[in-house]
Structures are given as C-alpha cells and as structure tokens.
Amino acid sequence: MTRFRHALFLTALASLTIACAPAALSSPPVQAEASFAPRGDPAFGDAAPAIRRLLAEATPRPKGPQHFCAIGYRGPEGTTGWVHWREGDRLILWLGRGDGSDSADALLRSNRNLNLKTDVVATEADVSGSTYLVTRAWVAAKLADCAARGDKYSISAS
C-alpha cells in the first residue's frame, strides 16, 4: 500500500508541475516597438545632413538623385532608427543623437550597415546564429513601416 500511495503522490505532483509550468516558466510578453517619423524627434532631427555626408563619403561616388527613407522606433530597449538607401541597396542603423554625438556622425559610423543583396536571407534557419544576417521578412517589415510612416528624402549626389 505504501508503494501505491507513493506512486499516486508522484503522479499527482508530476501532473501539478506540468499544469503549472507553462505559466511559471513563460517569458513576459514582448512589447512591440512603436514606429515614428524621426524628423520631428529631438533625438534624431532632419536626416538630410547625415545623408549628404553619407553620400559625400560613399565609394564609388553615386550619381544623380538618391532616395532615402528614415524611420524611428521606440521600444523596451530604447530608441533607434533605420535609414533605407534605395539606390545603394542599404539599410543602416541610425542611433541619432542617442549616444551624445552628432546624428550625422552616428549614421556614418553605424555598426549595422546592411547590404540588402548579401546580408539578407530567406528564413530564421538561414540566419543560423549570425549576429549580422537578417531575414527578408524583417527587412520587408522595416521598409513597409518606412513607406507608411517614415521621412522620405531625395538628394542629388552630384
């Protein structure tokens, strides 16, 4: 009889553990980032000076009108921005004045200057632990956000 009670106790304990584990071990809900047009935000401001410096330092030097879109995000990890350069096939992380520097300097020395031809993969599985690659879906979401809510710029490179 003692073995039966012991087995019954263990079964009940296991059932209780399984029933309670998802709630106890689940991670907190992920807060979505809120997007905004950075031109009117004091942490970013007008991206045109930063874009002009980016074009002046680009090699090879671009010619003709160049099209950009800047989008900002506020989330649990702070405020960031992305600048899409259409003709350059780039998506560049922009921290604005968040690190205390000039916003143009922040764009020029960005540590995330994604080449949309080589740094984008089809799926999360293709990212395979990379800290640099991004998925097509992620890029598509950023570009759609920018098209809907971002600041657009057309700047002559010549």
Side-chain angles (χ1 to χ4, degrees):
M1 192 70 148
T2 307
R3 280 189 178 168
F4 176 74
R5 284 186 186 156
H6 184 69
L8 187 61
F9 173 74
L10 290 177
T11 302
L13 183 61
S15 297
L16 184 60
T17 302
I18 290 170
C20 294
L25 298 178
S26 65
S27 58
V30 176
Q31 250 183 331
E33 293 181 314
S35 61
F36 63 94
R39 183 178 286 144
D41 189 282
F44 290 91
D46 186 16
I51 292 169
R52 283 188 187 92
R53 284 193 44 202
L54 179 74
L55 289 172
E57 295 188 21
T59 52
R61 181 92 193 238
K63 297 192 184 320
Q66 303 293 303
H67 300 88
F68 295 83
C69 185
I71 187 76
Y73 292 95
R74 279 190 193 83
E77 296 182 13
T79 303
T80 59
W82 289 93
V83 175
H84 174 227
W85 177 9
R86 188 171 59 196
E87 290 78 12
D89 285 316
R90 309 301 279 187
L91 188 59
I92 308 165
L93 176 66
W94 185 31
L95 297 177
R97 296 179 187 100
D99 64 355
S101 67
D102 175 75
S103 65
D105 287 337
L107 185 64
L108 288 171
R109 59 171 206 275
S110 176
N111 64 350
R112 294 287 303 216
N113 189 333
L114 300 170
N115 182 322
L116 297 180
K117 291 181 180 177
T118 60
D119 299 332
V120 181
V121 295
T123 67
E124 284 292 333
D126 296 330
V127 171
S128 187
S130 169
T131 59
Y132 204 77
L133 296 176
V134 295
T135 65
R136 283 188 201 132
W138 183 88
V139 170
K142 296 294 183 221
L143 298 185
D145 232 6
C146 206
R149 288 176 279 293
D151 293 322
K152 283 79 171 178
Y153 298 88
S154 179
I155 297 178
S156 179
S158 27

PDB file of all heavy atoms in Angstrom, residues 66-104:
ATOM      1  N   GLN A  66      19.348  60.395 -55.304  1.00  0.00           N
ATOM      2  CA  GLN A  66      19.395  59.221 -54.424  1.00  0.00           C
ATOM      3  C   GLN A  66      18.196  59.331 -53.475  1.00  0.00           C
ATOM      4  O   GLN A  66      17.899  60.409 -52.968  1.00  0.00           O
ATOM      5  CB  GLN A  66      20.699  59.191 -53.629  1.00  0.00           C
ATOM      6  CG  GLN A  66      21.944  59.196 -54.497  1.00  0.00           C
ATOM      7  CD  GLN A  66      22.104  57.921 -55.296  1.00  0.00           C
ATOM      8  OE1 GLN A  66      22.143  56.828 -54.754  1.00  0.00           O
ATOM      9  NE2 GLN A  66      22.160  58.058 -56.626  1.00  0.00           N
ATOM     10  N   HIS A  67      17.535  58.206 -53.242  1.00  0.00           N
ATOM     11  CA  HIS A  67      16.304  58.210 -52.448  1.00  0.00           C
ATOM     12  C   HIS A  67      16.510  57.469 -51.131  1.00  0.00           C
ATOM     13  O   HIS A  67      17.031  56.354 -51.114  1.00  0.00           O
ATOM     14  CB  HIS A  67      15.173  57.588 -53.262  1.00  0.00           C
ATOM     15  CG  HIS A  67      14.909  58.338 -54.522  1.00  0.00           C
ATOM     16  ND1 HIS A  67      15.578  58.063 -55.695  1.00  0.00           N
ATOM     17  CD2 HIS A  67      14.100  59.390 -54.777  1.00  0.00           C
ATOM     18  CE1 HIS A  67      15.175  58.899 -56.634  1.00  0.00           C
ATOM     19  NE2 HIS A  67      14.278  59.725 -56.099  1.00  0.00           N
ATOM     20  N   PHE A  68      16.062  58.115 -50.074  1.00  0.00           N
ATOM     21  CA  PHE A  68      16.230  57.587 -48.722  1.00  0.00           C
ATOM     22  C   PHE A  68      14.903  57.649 -47.972  1.00  0.00           C
ATOM     23  O   PHE A  68      14.056  58.496 -48.265  1.00  0.00           O
ATOM     24  CB  PHE A  68      17.255  58.421 -47.940  1.00  0.00           C
ATOM     25  CG  PHE A  68      18.643  58.351 -48.487  1.00  0.00           C
ATOM     26  CD1 PHE A  68      19.022  59.166 -49.543  1.00  0.00           C
ATOM     27  CD2 PHE A  68      19.574  57.480 -47.942  1.00  0.00           C
ATOM     28  CE1 PHE A  68      20.315  59.115 -50.053  1.00  0.00           C
ATOM     29  CE2 PHE A  68      20.872  57.424 -48.450  1.00  0.00           C
ATOM     30  CZ  PHE A  68      21.235  58.242 -49.504  1.00  0.00           C
ATOM     31  N   CYS A  69      14.785  56.795 -46.995  1.00  0.00           N
ATOM     32  CA  CYS A  69      13.653  56.852 -46.086  1.00  0.00           C
ATOM     33  C   CYS A  69      14.181  56.563 -44.687  1.00  0.00           C
ATOM     34  O   CYS A  69      14.958  55.626 -44.490  1.00  0.00           O
ATOM     35  CB  CYS A  69      12.591  55.820 -46.464  1.00  0.00           C
ATOM     36  SG  CYS A  69      11.105  55.946 -45.444  1.00  0.00           S
ATOM     37  N   ALA A  70      13.799  57.393 -43.718  1.00  0.00           N
ATOM     38  CA  ALA A  70      14.237  57.224 -42.326  1.00  0.00           C
ATOM     39  C   ALA A  70      13.018  56.911 -41.460  1.00  0.00           C
ATOM     40  O   ALA A  70      11.984  57.571 -41.570  1.00  0.00           O
ATOM     41  CB  ALA A  70      14.924  58.489 -41.833  1.00  0.00           C
ATOM     42  N   ILE A  71      13.159  55.906 -40.605  1.00  0.00           N
ATOM     43  CA  ILE A  71      12.091  55.512 -39.681  1.00  0.00           C
ATOM     44  C   ILE A  71      12.697  55.317 -38.296  1.00  0.00           C
ATOM     45  O   ILE A  71      13.811  54.814 -38.182  1.00  0.00           O
ATOM     46  CB  ILE A  71      11.360  54.229 -40.172  1.00  0.00           C
ATOM     47  CG1 ILE A  71      10.144  53.887 -39.322  1.00  0.00           C
ATOM     48  CG2 ILE A  71      12.305  53.046 -40.259  1.00  0.00           C
ATOM     49  CD1 ILE A  71       8.953  54.751 -39.581  1.00  0.00           C
ATOM     50  N   GLY A  72      11.981  55.759 -37.285  1.00  0.00           N
ATOM     51  CA  GLY A  72      12.439  55.593 -35.911  1.00  0.00           C
ATOM     52  C   GLY A  72      11.579  54.587 -35.172  1.00  0.00           C
ATOM     53  O   GLY A  72      10.428  54.340 -35.549  1.00  0.00           O
ATOM     54  N   TYR A  73      12.144  54.001 -34.118  1.00  0.00           N
ATOM     55  CA  TYR A  73      11.432  53.029 -33.291  1.00  0.00           C
ATOM     56  C   TYR A  73      11.696  53.299 -31.822  1.00  0.00           C
ATOM     57  O   TYR A  73      12.837  53.540 -31.431  1.00  0.00           O
ATOM     58  CB  TYR A  73      11.878  51.598 -33.604  1.00  0.00           C
ATOM     59  CG  TYR A  73      11.468  51.146 -34.974  1.00  0.00           C
ATOM     60  CD1 TYR A  73      12.338  51.259 -36.049  1.00  0.00           C
ATOM     61  CD2 TYR A  73      10.204  50.617 -35.200  1.00  0.00           C
ATOM     62  CE1 TYR A  73      11.959  50.856 -37.321  1.00  0.00           C
ATOM     63  CE2 TYR A  73       9.816  50.201 -36.463  1.00  0.00           C
ATOM     64  CZ  TYR A  73      10.697  50.327 -37.520  1.00  0.00           C
ATOM     65  OH  TYR A  73      10.317  49.931 -38.775  1.00  0.00           O
ATOM     66  N   ARG A  74      10.616  53.245 -31.038  1.00  0.00           N
ATOM     67  CA  ARG A  74      10.731  53.299 -29.582  1.00  0.00           C
ATOM     68  C   ARG A  74      10.272  51.956 -29.046  1.00  0.00           C
ATOM     69  O   ARG A  74       9.193  51.487 -29.383  1.00  0.00           O
ATOM     70  CB  ARG A  74       9.831  54.385 -29.010  1.00  0.00           C
ATOM     71  CG  ARG A  74      10.418  55.745 -29.097  1.00  0.00           C
ATOM     72  CD  ARG A  74       9.609  56.777 -28.293  1.00  0.00           C
ATOM     73  NE  ARG A  74      10.055  58.097 -28.668  1.00  0.00           N
ATOM     74  CZ  ARG A  74       9.623  58.754 -29.740  1.00  0.00           C
ATOM     75  NH1 ARG A  74       8.718  58.241 -30.514  1.00  0.00           N
ATOM     76  NH2 ARG A  74      10.105  59.949 -30.027  1.00  0.00           N
ATOM     77  N   GLY A  75      11.092  51.351 -28.212  1.00  0.00           N
ATOM     78  CA  GLY A  75      10.738  50.065 -27.638  1.00  0.00           C
ATOM     79  C   GLY A  75      11.364  49.902 -26.278  1.00  0.00           C
ATOM     80  O   GLY A  75      11.995  50.831 -25.760  1.00  0.00           O
ATOM     81  N   PRO A  76      11.223  48.712 -25.715  1.00  0.00           N
ATOM     82  CA  PRO A  76      11.751  48.470 -24.377  1.00  0.00           C
ATOM     83  C   PRO A  76      13.268  48.622 -24.282  1.00  0.00           C
ATOM     84  O   PRO A  76      13.803  48.869 -23.215  1.00  0.00           O
ATOM     85  CB  PRO A  76      11.323  47.042 -24.064  1.00  0.00           C
ATOM     86  CG  PRO A  76      10.709  46.492 -25.286  1.00  0.00           C
ATOM     87  CD  PRO A  76      10.514  47.590 -26.271  1.00  0.00           C
ATOM     88  N   GLU A  77      13.959  48.495 -25.407  1.00  0.00           N
ATOM     89  CA  GLU A  77      15.423  48.603 -25.390  1.00  0.00           C
ATOM     90  C   GLU A  77      15.911  49.990 -25.789  1.00  0.00           C
ATOM     91  O   GLU A  77      17.093  50.193 -26.031  1.00  0.00           O
ATOM     92  CB  GLU A  77      16.028  47.532 -26.288  1.00  0.00           C
ATOM     93  CG  GLU A  77      15.742  46.136 -25.768  1.00  0.00           C
ATOM     94  CD  GLU A  77      16.367  45.055 -26.615  1.00  0.00           C
ATOM     95  OE1 GLU A  77      17.230  45.362 -27.460  1.00  0.00           O
ATOM     96  OE2 GLU A  77      15.981  43.901 -26.417  1.00  0.00           O
ATOM     97  N   GLY A  78      15.000  50.955 -25.920  1.00  0.00           N
ATOM     98  CA  GLY A  78      15.405  52.319 -26.234  1.00  0.00           C
ATOM     99  C   GLY A  78      14.887  52.784 -27.579  1.00  0.00           C
ATOM    100  O   GLY A  78      13.988  52.192 -28.163  1.00  0.00           O
ATOM    101  N   THR A  79      15.496  53.852 -28.079  1.00  0.00           N
ATOM    102  CA  THR A  79      15.084  54.474 -29.332  1.00  0.00           C
ATOM    103  C   THR A  79      16.171  54.265 -30.374  1.00  0.00           C
ATOM    104  O   THR A  79      17.346  54.529 -30.118  1.00  0.00           O
ATOM    105  CB  THR A  79      14.846  55.983 -29.121  1.00  0.00           C
ATOM    106  OG1 THR A  79      13.866  56.144 -28.093  1.00  0.00           O
ATOM    107  CG2 THR A  79      14.347  56.645 -30.377  1.00  0.00           C
ATOM    108  N   THR A  80      15.770  53.775 -31.535  1.00  0.00           N
ATOM    109  CA  THR A  80      16.698  53.566 -32.651  1.00  0.00           C
ATOM    110  C   THR A  80      16.026  54.017 -33.935  1.00  0.00           C
ATOM    111  O   THR A  80      14.828  54.277 -33.961  1.00  0.00           O
ATOM    112  CB  THR A  80      17.097  52.080 -32.808  1.00  0.00           C
ATOM    113  OG1 THR A  80      15.917  51.309 -33.033  1.00  0.00           O
ATOM    114  CG2 THR A  80      17.848  51.574 -31.608  1.00  0.00           C
ATOM    115  N   GLY A  81      16.790  54.074 -34.984  1.00  0.00           N
ATOM    116  CA  GLY A  81      16.250  54.404 -36.294  1.00  0.00           C
ATOM    117  C   GLY A  81      16.932  53.580 -37.368  1.00  0.00           C
ATOM    118  O   GLY A  81      17.990  52.988 -37.137  1.00  0.00           O
ATOM    119  N   TRP A  82      16.304  53.528 -38.519  1.00  0.00           N
ATOM    120  CA  TRP A  82      16.876  52.864 -39.690  1.00  0.00           C
ATOM    121  C   TRP A  82      16.732  53.797 -40.873  1.00  0.00           C
ATOM    122  O   TRP A  82      15.710  54.474 -41.026  1.00  0.00           O
ATOM    123  CB  TRP A  82      16.168  51.541 -39.981  1.00  0.00           C
ATOM    124  CG  TRP A  82      16.489  50.494 -38.970  1.00  0.00           C
ATOM    125  CD1 TRP A  82      15.782  50.209 -37.835  1.00  0.00           C
ATOM    126  CD2 TRP A  82      17.604  49.617 -38.985  1.00  0.00           C
ATOM    127  NE1 TRP A  82      16.403  49.197 -37.138  1.00  0.00           N
ATOM    128  CE2 TRP A  82      17.519  48.806 -37.820  1.00  0.00           C
ATOM    129  CE3 TRP A  82      18.676  49.409 -39.852  1.00  0.00           C
ATOM    130  CZ2 TRP A  82      18.452  47.838 -37.515  1.00  0.00           C
ATOM    131  CZ3 TRP A  82      19.608  48.436 -39.544  1.00  0.00           C
ATOM    132  CH2 TRP A  82      19.494  47.651 -38.392  1.00  0.00           C
ATOM    133  N   VAL A  83      17.751  53.842 -41.706  1.00  0.00           N
ATOM    134  CA  VAL A  83      17.719  54.642 -42.927  1.00  0.00           C
ATOM    135  C   VAL A  83      17.872  53.689 -44.104  1.00  0.00           C
ATOM    136  O   VAL A  83      18.856  52.949 -44.200  1.00  0.00           O
ATOM    137  CB  VAL A  83      18.840  55.708 -42.942  1.00  0.00           C
ATOM    138  CG1 VAL A  83      18.866  56.439 -44.280  1.00  0.00           C
ATOM    139  CG2 VAL A  83      18.652  56.693 -41.795  1.00  0.00           C
ATOM    140  N   HIS A  84      16.884  53.704 -44.983  1.00  0.00           N
ATOM    141  CA  HIS A  84      16.937  52.881 -46.192  1.00  0.00           C
ATOM    142  C   HIS A  84      17.435  53.750 -47.344  1.00  0.00           C
ATOM    143  O   HIS A  84      16.876  54.813 -47.628  1.00  0.00           O
ATOM    144  CB  HIS A  84      15.537  52.328 -46.523  1.00  0.00           C
ATOM    145  CG  HIS A  84      15.498  51.594 -47.815  1.00  0.00           C
ATOM    146  ND1 HIS A  84      14.521  51.808 -48.754  1.00  0.00           N
ATOM    147  CD2 HIS A  84      16.320  50.646 -48.329  1.00  0.00           C
ATOM    148  CE1 HIS A  84      14.743  51.019 -49.792  1.00  0.00           C
ATOM    149  NE2 HIS A  84      15.833  50.317 -49.558  1.00  0.00           N
ATOM    150  N   TRP A  85      18.507  53.302 -47.985  1.00  0.00           N
ATOM    151  CA  TRP A  85      19.047  53.973 -49.160  1.00  0.00           C
ATOM    152  C   TRP A  85      18.701  53.088 -50.345  1.00  0.00           C
ATOM    153  O   TRP A  85      19.284  52.034 -50.544  1.00  0.00           O
ATOM    154  CB  TRP A  85      20.552  54.147 -49.010  1.00  0.00           C
ATOM    155  CG  TRP A  85      21.270  54.765 -50.161  1.00  0.00           C
ATOM    156  CD1 TRP A  85      20.739  55.352 -51.283  1.00  0.00           C
ATOM    157  CD2 TRP A  85      22.685  54.862 -50.314  1.00  0.00           C
ATOM    158  NE1 TRP A  85      21.726  55.811 -52.107  1.00  0.00           N
ATOM    159  CE2 TRP A  85      22.932  55.514 -51.537  1.00  0.00           C
ATOM    160  CE3 TRP A  85      23.760  54.459 -49.543  1.00  0.00           C
ATOM    161  CZ2 TRP A  85      24.218  55.768 -51.992  1.00  0.00           C
ATOM    162  CZ3 TRP A  85      25.043  54.710 -49.997  1.00  0.00           C
ATOM    163  CH2 TRP A  85      25.268  55.371 -51.205  1.00  0.00           C
ATOM    164  N   ARG A  86      17.713  53.516 -51.124  1.00  0.00           N
ATOM    165  CA  ARG A  86      17.185  52.678 -52.199  1.00  0.00           C
ATOM    166  C   ARG A  86      18.234  52.344 -53.260  1.00  0.00           C
ATOM    167  O   ARG A  86      18.459  51.180 -53.576  1.00  0.00           O
ATOM    168  CB  ARG A  86      15.967  53.348 -52.843  1.00  0.00           C
ATOM    169  CG  ARG A  86      15.259  52.435 -53.827  1.00  0.00           C
ATOM    170  CD  ARG A  86      13.945  52.988 -54.297  1.00  0.00           C
ATOM    171  NE  ARG A  86      14.130  54.290 -54.940  1.00  0.00           N
ATOM    172  CZ  ARG A  86      13.146  55.135 -55.169  1.00  0.00           C
ATOM    173  NH1 ARG A  86      11.923  54.864 -54.803  1.00  0.00           N
ATOM    174  NH2 ARG A  86      13.381  56.286 -55.772  1.00  0.00           N
ATOM    175  N   GLU A  87      18.887  53.348 -53.833  1.00  0.00           N
ATOM    176  CA  GLU A  87      19.859  53.084 -54.902  1.00  0.00           C
ATOM    177  C   GLU A  87      21.111  52.377 -54.389  1.00  0.00           C
ATOM    178  O   GLU A  87      21.774  51.665 -55.138  1.00  0.00           O
ATOM    179  CB  GLU A  87      20.263  54.393 -55.601  1.00  0.00           C
ATOM    180  CG  GLU A  87      19.161  55.013 -56.439  1.00  0.00           C
ATOM    181  CD  GLU A  87      18.099  55.752 -55.613  1.00  0.00           C
ATOM    182  OE1 GLU A  87      18.325  55.990 -54.404  1.00  0.00           O
ATOM    183  OE2 GLU A  87      17.063  56.079 -56.170  1.00  0.00           O
ATOM    184  N   GLY A  88      21.451  52.576 -53.149  1.00  0.00           N
ATOM    185  CA  GLY A  88      22.624  51.926 -52.570  1.00  0.00           C
ATOM    186  C   GLY A  88      22.347  50.534 -52.044  1.00  0.00           C
ATOM    187  O   GLY A  88      23.258  49.836 -51.605  1.00  0.00           O
ATOM    188  N   ASP A  89      21.083  50.104 -52.085  1.00  0.00           N
ATOM    189  CA  ASP A  89      20.678  48.795 -51.549  1.00  0.00           C
ATOM    190  C   ASP A  89      21.192  48.607 -50.130  1.00  0.00           C
ATOM    191  O   ASP A  89      21.778  47.574 -49.790  1.00  0.00           O
ATOM    192  CB  ASP A  89      21.158  47.646 -52.442  1.00  0.00           C
ATOM    193  CG  ASP A  89      20.347  47.533 -53.702  1.00  0.00           C
ATOM    194  OD1 ASP A  89      19.102  47.624 -53.627  1.00  0.00           O
ATOM    195  OD2 ASP A  89      20.946  47.367 -54.790  1.00  0.00           O
ATOM    196  N   ARG A  90      20.961  49.623 -49.279  1.00  0.00           N
ATOM    197  CA  ARG A  90      21.448  49.588 -47.903  1.00  0.00           C
ATOM    198  C   ARG A  90      20.308  49.867 -46.933  1.00  0.00           C
ATOM    199  O   ARG A  90      19.372  50.606 -47.244  1.00  0.00           O
ATOM    200  CB  ARG A  90      22.526  50.644 -47.654  1.00  0.00           C
ATOM    201  CG  ARG A  90      23.674  50.678 -48.634  1.00  0.00           C
ATOM    202  CD  ARG A  90      24.439  49.436 -48.745  1.00  0.00           C
ATOM    203  NE  ARG A  90      25.415  49.260 -47.693  1.00  0.00           N
ATOM    204  CZ  ARG A  90      26.297  48.272 -47.697  1.00  0.00           C
ATOM    205  NH1 ARG A  90      26.325  47.399 -48.669  1.00  0.00           N
ATOM    206  NH2 ARG A  90      27.148  48.146 -46.728  1.00  0.00           N
ATOM    207  N   LEU A  91      20.429  49.298 -45.749  1.00  0.00           N
ATOM    208  CA  LEU A  91      19.571  49.617 -44.614  1.00  0.00           C
ATOM    209  C   LEU A  91      20.526  49.840 -43.449  1.00  0.00           C
ATOM    210  O   LEU A  91      21.244  48.922 -43.037  1.00  0.00           O
ATOM    211  CB  LEU A  91      18.586  48.481 -44.326  1.00  0.00           C
ATOM    212  CG  LEU A  91      17.506  48.766 -43.299  1.00  0.00           C
ATOM    213  CD1 LEU A  91      16.640  49.956 -43.710  1.00  0.00           C
ATOM    214  CD2 LEU A  91      16.632  47.538 -43.079  1.00  0.00           C
ATOM    215  N   ILE A  92      20.548  51.065 -42.939  1.00  0.00           N
ATOM    216  CA  ILE A  92      21.585  51.479 -41.990  1.00  0.00           C
ATOM    217  C   ILE A  92      20.953  51.833 -40.649  1.00  0.00           C
ATOM    218  O   ILE A  92      20.039  52.661 -40.587  1.00  0.00           O
ATOM    219  CB  ILE A  92      22.368  52.695 -42.537  1.00  0.00           C
ATOM    220  CG1 ILE A  92      22.880  52.407 -43.957  1.00  0.00           C
ATOM    221  CG2 ILE A  92      23.509  53.064 -41.601  1.00  0.00           C
ATOM    222  CD1 ILE A  92      23.335  53.650 -44.712  1.00  0.00           C
ATOM    223  N   LEU A  93      21.480  51.218 -39.588  1.00  0.00           N
ATOM    224  CA  LEU A  93      21.032  51.550 -38.239  1.00  0.00           C
ATOM    225  C   LEU A  93      21.463  52.979 -37.929  1.00  0.00           C
ATOM    226  O   LEU A  93      22.613  53.360 -38.148  1.00  0.00           O
ATOM    227  CB  LEU A  93      21.652  50.593 -37.227  1.00  0.00           C
ATOM    228  CG  LEU A  93      21.341  50.874 -35.754  1.00  0.00           C
ATOM    229  CD1 LEU A  93      19.861  50.678 -35.459  1.00  0.00           C
ATOM    230  CD2 LEU A  93      22.182  49.963 -34.872  1.00  0.00           C
ATOM    231  N   TRP A  94      20.525  53.760 -37.385  1.00  0.00           N
ATOM    232  CA  TRP A  94      20.802  55.165 -37.068  1.00  0.00           C
ATOM    233  C   TRP A  94      20.417  55.402 -35.619  1.00  0.00           C
ATOM    234  O   TRP A  94      19.256  55.258 -35.245  1.00  0.00           O
ATOM    235  CB  TRP A  94      20.015  56.066 -38.006  1.00  0.00           C
ATOM    236  CG  TRP A  94      20.277  57.523 -37.885  1.00  0.00           C
ATOM    237  CD1 TRP A  94      21.436  58.134 -37.524  1.00  0.00           C
ATOM    238  CD2 TRP A  94      19.344  58.571 -38.172  1.00  0.00           C
ATOM    239  NE1 TRP A  94      21.292  59.497 -37.567  1.00  0.00           N
ATOM    240  CE2 TRP A  94      20.012  59.794 -37.956  1.00  0.00           C
ATOM    241  CE3 TRP A  94      18.025  58.593 -38.583  1.00  0.00           C
ATOM    242  CZ2 TRP A  94      19.391  61.027 -38.145  1.00  0.00           C
ATOM    243  CZ3 TRP A  94      17.406  59.819 -38.777  1.00  0.00           C
ATOM    244  CH2 TRP A  94      18.091  61.026 -38.557  1.00  0.00           C
ATOM    245  N   LEU A  95      21.386  55.754 -34.799  1.00  0.00           N
ATOM    246  CA  LEU A  95      21.130  55.990 -33.382  1.00  0.00           C
ATOM    247  C   LEU A  95      20.843  57.454 -33.085  1.00  0.00           C
ATOM    248  O   LEU A  95      20.658  57.827 -31.927  1.00  0.00           O
ATOM    249  CB  LEU A  95      22.306  55.497 -32.541  1.00  0.00           C
ATOM    250  CG  LEU A  95      22.568  53.993 -32.632  1.00  0.00           C
ATOM    251  CD1 LEU A  95      23.793  53.613 -31.826  1.00  0.00           C
ATOM    252  CD2 LEU A  95      21.358  53.199 -32.198  1.00  0.00           C
ATOM    253  N   GLY A  96      20.804  58.285 -34.129  1.00  0.00           N
ATOM    254  CA  GLY A  96      20.517  59.701 -33.923  1.00  0.00           C
ATOM    255  C   GLY A  96      21.540  60.317 -32.977  1.00  0.00           C
ATOM    256  O   GLY A  96      22.730  60.044 -33.058  1.00  0.00           O
ATOM    257  N   ARG A  97      21.045  61.102 -32.050  1.00  0.00           N
ATOM    258  CA  ARG A  97      21.928  61.718 -31.057  1.00  0.00           C
ATOM    259  C   ARG A  97      21.935  60.904 -29.762  1.00  0.00           C
ATOM    260  O   ARG A  97      22.344  61.399 -28.720  1.00  0.00           O
ATOM    261  CB  ARG A  97      21.455  63.146 -30.778  1.00  0.00           C
ATOM    262  CG  ARG A  97      21.556  64.044 -31.981  1.00  0.00           C
ATOM    263  CD  ARG A  97      21.055  65.450 -31.669  1.00  0.00           C
ATOM    264  NE  ARG A  97      21.014  66.234 -32.877  1.00  0.00           N
ATOM    265  CZ  ARG A  97      19.915  66.461 -33.585  1.00  0.00           C
ATOM    266  NH1 ARG A  97      18.757  65.979 -33.199  1.00  0.00           N
ATOM    267  NH2 ARG A  97      19.967  67.175 -34.685  1.00  0.00           N
ATOM    268  N   GLY A  98      21.456  59.695 -29.830  1.00  0.00           N
ATOM    269  CA  GLY A  98      21.309  58.853 -28.648  1.00  0.00           C
ATOM    270  C   GLY A  98      22.587  58.588 -27.885  1.00  0.00           C
ATOM    271  O   GLY A  98      22.570  58.364 -26.686  1.00  0.00           O
ATOM    272  N   ASP A  99      23.715  58.608 -28.581  1.00  0.00           N
ATOM    273  CA  ASP A  99      24.983  58.365 -27.880  1.00  0.00           C
ATOM    274  C   ASP A  99      25.708  59.672 -27.576  1.00  0.00           C
ATOM    275  O   ASP A  99      26.887  59.677 -27.253  1.00  0.00           O
ATOM    276  CB  ASP A  99      25.869  57.413 -28.684  1.00  0.00           C
ATOM    277  CG  ASP A  99      26.298  57.986 -30.022  1.00  0.00           C
ATOM    278  OD1 ASP A  99      25.843  59.094 -30.387  1.00  0.00           O
ATOM    279  OD2 ASP A  99      27.094  57.326 -30.713  1.00  0.00           O
ATOM    280  N   GLY A 100      25.008  60.799 -27.717  1.00  0.00           N
ATOM    281  CA  GLY A 100      25.596  62.093 -27.396  1.00  0.00           C
ATOM    282  C   GLY A 100      26.355  62.729 -28.540  1.00  0.00           C
ATOM    283  O   GLY A 100      26.895  63.819 -28.401  1.00  0.00           O
ATOM    284  N   SER A 101      26.412  62.078 -29.692  1.00  0.00           N
ATOM    285  CA  SER A 101      27.161  62.639 -30.813  1.00  0.00           C
ATOM    286  C   SER A 101      26.209  63.290 -31.805  1.00  0.00           C
ATOM    287  O   SER A 101      24.998  63.231 -31.680  1.00  0.00           O
ATOM    288  CB  SER A 101      27.950  61.532 -31.511  1.00  0.00           C
ATOM    289  OG  SER A 101      27.065  60.622 -32.127  1.00  0.00           O
ATOM    290  N   ASP A 102      26.790  63.888 -32.808  1.00  0.00           N
ATOM    291  CA  ASP A 102      26.048  64.468 -33.914  1.00  0.00           C
ATOM    292  C   ASP A 102      25.326  63.334 -34.654  1.00  0.00           C
ATOM    293  O   ASP A 102      25.895  62.262 -34.851  1.00  0.00           O
ATOM    294  CB  ASP A 102      27.057  65.177 -34.826  1.00  0.00           C
ATOM    295  CG  ASP A 102      26.431  65.727 -36.063  1.00  0.00           C
ATOM    296  OD1 ASP A 102      25.740  66.750 -35.960  1.00  0.00           O
ATOM    297  OD2 ASP A 102      26.629  65.120 -37.135  1.00  0.00           O
ATOM    298  N   SER A 103      24.083  63.565 -35.084  1.00  0.00           N
ATOM    299  CA  SER A 103      23.322  62.493 -35.730  1.00  0.00           C
ATOM    300  C   SER A 103      23.953  62.051 -37.047  1.00  0.00           C
ATOM    301  O   SER A 103      23.842  60.903 -37.440  1.00  0.00           O
ATOM    302  CB  SER A 103      21.863  62.895 -35.924  1.00  0.00           C
ATOM    303  OG  SER A 103      21.750  63.969 -36.812  1.00  0.00           O
ATOM    304  N   ALA A 104      24.649  62.960 -37.738  1.00  0.00           N
ATOM    305  CA  ALA A 104      25.336  62.577 -38.975  1.00  0.00           C
ATOM    306  C   ALA A 104      26.483  61.629 -38.673  1.00  0.00           C
ATOM    307  O   ALA A 104      26.691  60.645 -39.389  1.00  0.00           O
ATOM    308  CB  ALA A 104      25.842  63.819 -39.711  1.00  0.00           C
TER     309      ALA A 104
END
